[in-house]
């Protein structure tokens, strides 16, 4: 019975579709200021030594005001953060590690989990991308199930 439940769990993980990886709130978590909305772009940059998905997040907003004398002054606020997602799509935001993301990045790990950046146009001089993953096998630390089991004969004992 336990084996059927485990196989059902693995089968359901195998049919998951490509998903956009979740992000924290743009304001105030990623950017401590908002001038009518914060723009967020996310990137995947690879798998780390634990099998977790690593990436970068760029957040920005532009504030404008009329100055005295009729001049218009705009101020752009921006920030970069590093983010790590586990295979269950939980995330942890870290200080920026200065890794420049590649908008065309794709990778697949030993379990068949694939990650990629889906990009279009540009936002504030950066490619507008969304970090996404296709997760086939959720727990990379789980021990594989053996197909065969050897049992010693116990008849007559």
């Amino acid at each position: 019975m336990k084996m059927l439940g485990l196989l059902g769990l693995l089968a359901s993980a195998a049919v998951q579709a490509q998903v956009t990886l979740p992000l924290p709130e743009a304001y105030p978590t990623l950017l401590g200021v908002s001038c009518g909305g914060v723009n967020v772009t996310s990137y995947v940059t690879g798998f780390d030594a634990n099998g977790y998905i690593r990436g970068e997040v760029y957040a920005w907003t532009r504030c404008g005001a009329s100055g005295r004398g009729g001049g218009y002054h705009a101020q752009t606020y921006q920030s970069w953060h590093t983010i790590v997602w586990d295979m269950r799509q939980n995330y942890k935001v870290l200080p920026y590690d200065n890794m420049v993301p590649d908008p065309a990045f794709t990778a697949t790990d030993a379990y068949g989990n694939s990650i990629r950046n889906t990009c279009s146009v540009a936002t504030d001089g950066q490619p507008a991308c969304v970090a996404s993953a296709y997760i086939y096998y959720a727990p990379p630390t789980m021990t594989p199930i053996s197909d065969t089991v050897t049992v010693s004969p116990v008849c007559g004992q």
Side-chain angles (χ1 to χ4, degrees), residues 4-5 8 16 24 41 50 61 68 70 92 94 104 119 125 139 153:
L4 289 176
Q16 288 185 4
T41 299
N50 297 318
T61 190
R68 291 187 182 210
K92 181 177 181 179
L94 305 169
C119 303

Side-chain angles (χ1 to χ4, degrees), residues 1-56:
M1 186 62 133
K2 287 182 185 178
M3 182 69 140
L4 289 176
L6 185 56
L7 289 174
L9 177 66
L10 291 175
S12 67
V15 296
Q16 288 185 4
Q18 186 163 341
V19 295
T20 300
L21 294 170
L23 294 172
E25 291 181 34
Y27 171 79
T29 307
L30 294 176
L31 196 60
V33 64
S34 174
C35 302
V38 177
N39 301 283
V40 178
T41 299
S42 60
Y43 307 87
V44 288
T45 57
F47 293 96
D48 68 10
N50 297 318
Y52 297 150
I53 302 166
R54 288 190 68 89
E56 312 296 338

